[in-house]
Amino acid sequence: MAFESFPNLDHNNRVITLAEHEQVAAPERLSGLTGWSGQPPVYADATGRHVKLRAGYSASILGTRFNNLSETLIPVAANASGQTRIDLVVLRLRRQDSSLGADDRYTITPVAIEGVPGNQNPPALVRDVVPGSGFWDIPLAAVVVAAGAVTIGSEHVTPKHHYITASGYAGSEAWGFPPAEPGMIFRAENTGATYIGTSSGAWVTVTEDTGWVSPELGSSPSWSVQGTGVARTRLRNGVVHLQLDLFRVGGPLSGAPDWVAAVPWGFQPDREIIMTGAMNAGGHAVRFSVRPDRGVWIDAYPTALVPGRAVSVNDSWPI
């Protein structure tokens, strides 16, 4: 039977290689950015065909540390294809020496991976599973490269990064999910959701709670939360809660339904939800509905809703 263990006094004269260090460190340390920051690490300012990695960002990849001591330019390849291309900017751990003849194995470098012209998705991360061989990438940003582009503007960069935490990963669903690993935890700070990775490479929701979020009220002066009014929504473990106590400040409402508000993206049902609300004068019922386009509508027929009166609804629906 053949086996080995390291580090120990008898192994290789008490020396371990970089590949062996990866085997020791990687299971104990995740791969991602370190330290939480709400500012995206990669940005562009139309000063050339490149993006920039901000100074001060750090990362750990399979036990190897990366510190960006000063702002770093990351070149983006020319696009002469005639079609738009989406590249993926990554931090890449190189486990072997490059063709430059330098002793640069186990170094981390910012790299822009070229996408396929005409494809609406960025290329995949490169993650070779054999320690000591190939590359291991963590994502930073997607970059839209127009055909013939000579500069990259801020509007062409979409964050894709994630951070290491004590229990797993943290980031934003809007930035994209880190690759799922069995038993790993991912906390989405923008939605309050917590996910756990499965062996199939998917993230499964464990808990979610966005806290109370204000819906978007109509721009015309029809509804108001003046005084004691309330307009808020909350997504918690797959159920949306809606509370509205609104004052009518526009013209009288009678007959045709009126648009009241829009719930946030991800809160909308997949079919129209009908709810019953109340008018503060006379105890009359009013009909509320929430539609798949996020719109919240009210129908006060047959009793007219005049300015100065209030309506309220408190209901919930699954998504």
Side-chain angles (χ1 to χ4, degrees):
M1 178 181 293
F3 57 84
E4 66 177 0
S5 61
F6 51 82
N8 59 63
L9 296 177
D10 290 331
H11 177 76
N12 194 28
N13 197 29
R14 300 190 298 276
V15 174
I16 64 172
T17 67
L18 291 172
E20 289 171 337
H21 169 74
E22 177 188 331
Q23 295 177 59
V24 172
E28 306 298 330
R29 188 64 173 166
L30 307 177
S31 295
L33 297 179
T34 60
W36 177 265
S37 173
Q39 189 176 45
V42 173
Y43 76 102
D45 56 8
T47 57
R49 198 174 60 244
H50 53 244
V51 295
K52 299 178 179 181
L53 178 59
R54 301 181 194 274
Y57 275 84
S58 300
S60 180
I61 304 179
L62 301 180
T64 297
R65 177 77 175 191
F66 171 85
N67 295 323
N68 196 46
L69 303 178
S70 60
E71 187 172 80
T72 301
L73 291 182
I74 306 171
V76 173
N79 182 9
S81 68
Q83 296 179 292
T84 297
R85 191 185 75 216
I86 301 180
D87 293 356
L88 182 66
V89 178
V90 303
L91 285 179
R92 169 166 289 176
L93 172 66
R94 175 191 297 278
R95 290 157 156 153
Q96 296 171 313
D97 290 342
S98 69
S99 59
L100 301 176
D103 189 12
D104 58 359
R105 62 186 179 277
Y106 278 88
T107 56
I108 297 175
T109 308
V111 175
I113 307 173
E114 285 189 47
V116 177
N119 193 327
Q120 297 303 305
N121 297 306
L125 299 168
V126 179
R127 291 193 160 184
D128 295 305
V129 298
V130 179
S133 175
F135 307 119
W136 192 277
D137 298 339
I138 63 169
L140 294 180
V143 180
V144 175
V145 186
V150 294
T151 62
I152 304 294
S154 59
E155 70 277 13
H156 300 135
V157 179
T158 302
K160 295 291 182 184
H161 58 292
H162 60 266
Y163 293 90
I164 298 170
T165 71
S167 60
Y169 298 113
S172 166
E173 293 178 12
W175 302 341
F177 288 72
E181 303 167 47
M184 196 59 61
I185 300 296
F186 171 60
R187 169 74 175 179
E189 298 298 330
N190 63 320
T191 62
T194 300
Y195 301 87
I196 189 168
T198 67
S199 57
S200 64
W203 290 104
V204 175
T205 304
V206 178
T207 62
E208 60 182 341
D209 189 351
T210 62
W212 289 109
V213 181
S214 298
E216 174 189 345
L217 294 180
S219 58
S220 61
S222 298
W223 302 99
S224 171
V225 293
Q226 63 186 10
T228 58
V230 173
R232 61 182 188 172
T233 58
R234 185 173 194 163
L235 173 58
R236 185 173 187 179
N237 295 334
V239 177
V240 176
H241 304 272
L242 172 69
Q243 293 182 0
L244 294 178
D245 288 295
L246 299 175
F247 295 90
R248 181 70 177 181
V249 294
L253 173 64
S254 179
D258 191 35
W259 185 84
V260 178
V263 297
W265 286 107
F267 287 43
Q268 70 270 27
D270 60 357
R271 58 188 296 273
E272 186 175 24
I273 301 294
I274 306 298
M275 301 173 290
T276 301
M279 193 183 304
N280 72 332
H284 299 291
V286 292
R287 179 180 182 269
F288 282 89
S289 66
V290 184
R291 302 179 183 179
D293 64 359
R294 303 190 297 132
V296 180
W297 293 75
I298 185 174
D299 188 348
Y301 182 81
T303 304
L305 180 61
V306 299
R309 287 186 175 177
V311 293
S312 63
V313 66
N314 189 340
D315 214 325
S316 60
W317 61 88
I319 58 169

